Amino acid sequence: MLRDYRAPTVVHPSIESLKPSSQSFFSALLRRGPAKKRPTQIPSNLPKGLYMYGDVGSGKTMLMDMFYDTLSPNVTSKTRIHFHNFMQDVHKRLHAMKMEHGSDLDAVQYVAADLAEKGSVLCFDEFQCTDVADAMILRSLIEGLMSHGVVLVTTSNRHPDDLYKNGIQRASFIPCINLLKTRLRVLNLDSRTDYRKIPRPPSGVFYHPLDRAAVSHAEKWFRFLGDLDGDPPHSATHQVWGRNIVVPKASGKAAMFAFDELIGKATSAADYLELVKSYDAFIVTGVPGMTHRERDLARRFITFIDAIYESRAKLVMTTAVPLFELFMSRSEIDDALEDGRKSGSVKEAEDHEGVDDVMRQLMDDMGMNMKMLKNSSLFSGDEERFAFSRALSRLSEMGSQEWVERGLGMEHLGGLHEKESWQRVRSRWKEDSM
């Protein structure tokens, strides 16, 4: 039981112990196959972790946050972090190790010890593996963490057996899947209800079309969310891995830019994560509709949405099309509708599960349903379908009055106490994302 668990003291391996054993030229020639790695011993008293998976909005993140916030006092150190942020940190540390000590050592085990020092309970949000570089180190990394007594709790959109599906050299990833299933209790949280999309009063942060009123809409929200008196509008530059990311217009904790000025450029998750550490609110203007020909733009934009959602920041947008046409053009929607009718997934009076009142009306106008969208052949794979569905779910929640008012210290929500509580949540997220 975790309540009675005492994690062992972390002992770093020496650099020399991580290097391959020296051998003569002839023994190297005679040896068959790669050198075997030193076995990693996992303590017999290590409690089982948790692996919670389910579709978008099924409550995975909420349950993990509750678990993290209510851990027993004997857990003196803990970490909660988005899995993407975690892997970026791991690769940075591995790169630094190799620059300092060369590439001929098992740097993963040293990095695992470093990370274990940060917390004996490690909570991941959105565990997934889509990158071969991650796949090749994950088993060794997780084993290393567990060998230092770290208990893992994670959420994911899929069962462990479906991780890294159809990935390059997937056979090398199977031992990691087996490790997760053996050392973590796997829980299915699938639900027919997307709790993020339970109807809430809309806040009016999203506006279309891109007419004159769109300009005043963006400026109004920038004035409201920024600090024009204490910090007049100015451009700001942030450094990410030696590159400059320019925010054309910033004030206080609000940043404003056109879609093409950030998403339209070759930016990545690392850029967005740096920005959400610096700002609490984002005003993005001129968001276009993105068809199958602009899938790279759509993927970057979804990554940006995920970064904002995870950091609990606020998002204001002016868009060329309604939200439900952001990732599919009208003609693509018509084609998907026709496919849905042929396959039987589109029926008259079928309930649009998990869609709020505003979006349900849009879908009714177009004759769509969520099942049809998820099963559309327009998406290249399961990961893309899930990312699309999750983005719409998160946009729905971020467009609610409840989301926008959170942390503003409004009297009916608790005033200053509510504002300070929200700031603590943001501060904790920033610390865990370091």
Side-chain angles (χ1 to χ4, degrees):
M1 291 291 290
L2 190 57
R3 185 176 55 210
D4 304 317
Y5 178 63
R6 295 290 186 277
T9 302
V10 175
V11 179
H12 275 77
S14 67
I15 297 299
E16 287 303 316
S17 71
L18 299 175
K19 293 181 178 180
S21 57
S22 59
Q23 55 186 340
S24 69
F25 173 74
F26 290 106
S27 59
L29 285 177
L30 292 172
R31 190 190 69 216
R32 294 181 179 179
K36 292 183 178 179
K37 291 188 176 181
R38 297 169 181 81
T40 304
Q41 296 296 324
I42 298 175
S44 58
N45 68 331
L46 181 70
K48 268 200 170 187
L50 284 174
Y51 183 105
M52 298 177 284
Y53 75 98
D55 209 343
V56 294
S58 57
K60 305 182 297 292
T61 300
M62 180 196 71
L63 285 175
M64 190 176 67
D65 285 343
M66 290 174 62
F67 168 83
Y68 184 90
D69 290 334
T70 57
L71 277 168
S72 53
N74 62 294
V75 178
T76 56
S77 59
K78 56 185 180 179
T79 302
R80 185 222 184 274
I81 189 169
H82 192 277
F83 185 71
H84 193 91
N85 301 13
F86 175 78
M87 290 309 298
Q88 280 207 328
D89 181 41
V90 167
H91 286 298
K92 281 183 182 179
R93 290 171 183 265
L94 290 174
H95 178 71
M97 286 286 293
K98 290 177 180 179
M99 291 296 289
E100 184 176 355
H101 302 288
S103 58
D104 196 20
L105 81 163
D106 185 7
V108 172
Q109 294 307 312
Y110 197 91
V111 169
D114 273 349
L115 296 170
E117 284 186 323
K118 296 177 65 177
S120 58
V121 175
L122 177 56
C123 295
F124 289 140
D125 199 18
E126 301 286 354
F127 187 105
Q128 61 178 319
C129 185
T130 57
D131 187 285
V132 65
D134 291 349
M136 293 304 101
I137 67 170
L138 265 172
R139 181 197 176 185
S140 179
L141 179 64
I142 292 173
E143 274 188 337
L145 289 167
M146 289 181 175
S147 73
H148 292 291
V150 176
V151 179
L152 297 183
V153 176
T154 184
T155 69
S156 181
N157 64 299
R158 53 183 56 209
H159 189 279
D161 286 336
D162 294 327
L163 290 169
Y164 199 49
K165 208 167 186 178
N166 303 317
I168 299 171
Q169 300 181 39
R170 187 174 189 265
S172 301
F173 187 70
I174 298 299
C176 180
I177 292 174
N178 293 334
L179 178 67
L180 291 172
K181 294 194 309 185
T182 303
R183 292 289 177 172
L184 277 66
R185 183 182 179 189
V186 179
L187 298 176
N188 184 354
L189 297 181
D190 267 341
S191 169
R192 293 187 176 184
T193 302
D194 181 343
Y195 293 99
R196 286 196 295 258
K197 288 183 177 178
I198 292 174
R200 300 174 175 88
S203 64
V205 287
F206 304 144
Y207 180 92
H208 88 280
L210 299 178
D211 53 17
R212 288 185 181 180
V215 178
S216 60
H217 173 85
E219 289 293 341
K220 175 193 74 175
W221 279 104
F222 182 72
R223 289 193 299 271
F224 178 70
L225 295 169
D227 181 15
L228 274 63
D229 293 331
D231 185 25
H234 59 279
S235 64
T237 302
H238 303 267
Q239 272 216 335
V240 181
W241 291 27
R243 295 179 294 105
N244 287 336
I245 302 297
V246 178
V247 176
K249 193 173 181 180
S251 172
K253 288 293 184 178
M256 180 174 174
F257 47 83
F259 180 90
D260 289 339
E261 291 172 327
L262 184 65
I263 312 299
K265 295 181 179 178
T267 48
S268 67
D271 304 315
Y272 311 144
L273 291 173
E274 180 60 32
L275 290 175
V276 296
K277 290 175 186 176
S278 302
Y279 301 99
D280 294 344
F282 295 83
I283 298 89
V284 185
T285 62
V287 179
M290 288 158 271
T291 68
H292 70 278
R293 290 183 295 273
E294 294 89 26
R295 275 295 181 256
D296 285 344
L297 274 182
R299 290 189 188 100
R300 284 203 292 272
F301 188 50
I302 287 172
T303 303
F304 176 68
I305 291 170
D306 287 344
I308 290 180
Y309 182 86
E310 290 294 332
S311 70
R312 312 296 199 269
K314 306 185 192 309
L315 177 64
V316 177
M317 293 192 302
T318 61
T319 63
V321 295
L323 290 185
F324 258 91
E325 291 183 45
L326 278 180
F327 307 112
M328 298 173 71
S329 68
R330 182 72 215 201
S331 62
E332 288 174 331
I333 290 170
D334 290 341
D335 290 342
L337 270 172
E338 185 60 30
D339 290 343
R341 292 190 185 100
K342 289 178 180 178
S343 66
S345 63
V346 176
K347 302 174 184 176
E348 291 192 29
E350 181 173 1
D351 183 35
H352 302 311
E353 57 183 72
V355 182
D356 72 12
D357 289 341
V358 177
M359 289 191 175
R360 184 180 292 111
Q361 184 61 53
L362 286 170
M363 292 176 74
D364 285 340
D365 291 344
M366 293 185 283
M368 297 191 305
N369 64 52
M370 185 61 76
K371 181 179 178 183
M372 179 272 289
L373 289 176
K374 283 185 178 180
N375 294 332
S376 170
S377 60
L378 289 167
F379 304 108
S380 61
D382 290 341
E383 292 292 348
E384 191 170 275
R385 289 187 183 93
F386 180 84
F388 168 83
S389 178
R390 181 182 63 200
L392 291 178
S393 172
R394 290 180 166 183
L395 283 174
S396 176
E397 185 178 2
M398 289 191 287
S400 70
Q401 181 179 340
E402 177 186 343
W403 184 279
V404 174
E405 290 183 349
R406 189 183 303 157
L408 296 181
M410 295 189 169
E411 289 301 323
H412 70 283
L413 295 176
L416 182 60
H417 176 73
E418 187 272 341
K419 183 175 183 178
E420 291 173 345
S421 175
W422 184 83
Q423 288 173 341
R424 283 194 297 271
V425 171
R426 283 274 298 165
S427 295
R428 188 184 73 189
W429 177 87
K430 291 177 183 178
E431 289 172 4
D432 288 344
S433 301
M434 296 295 285

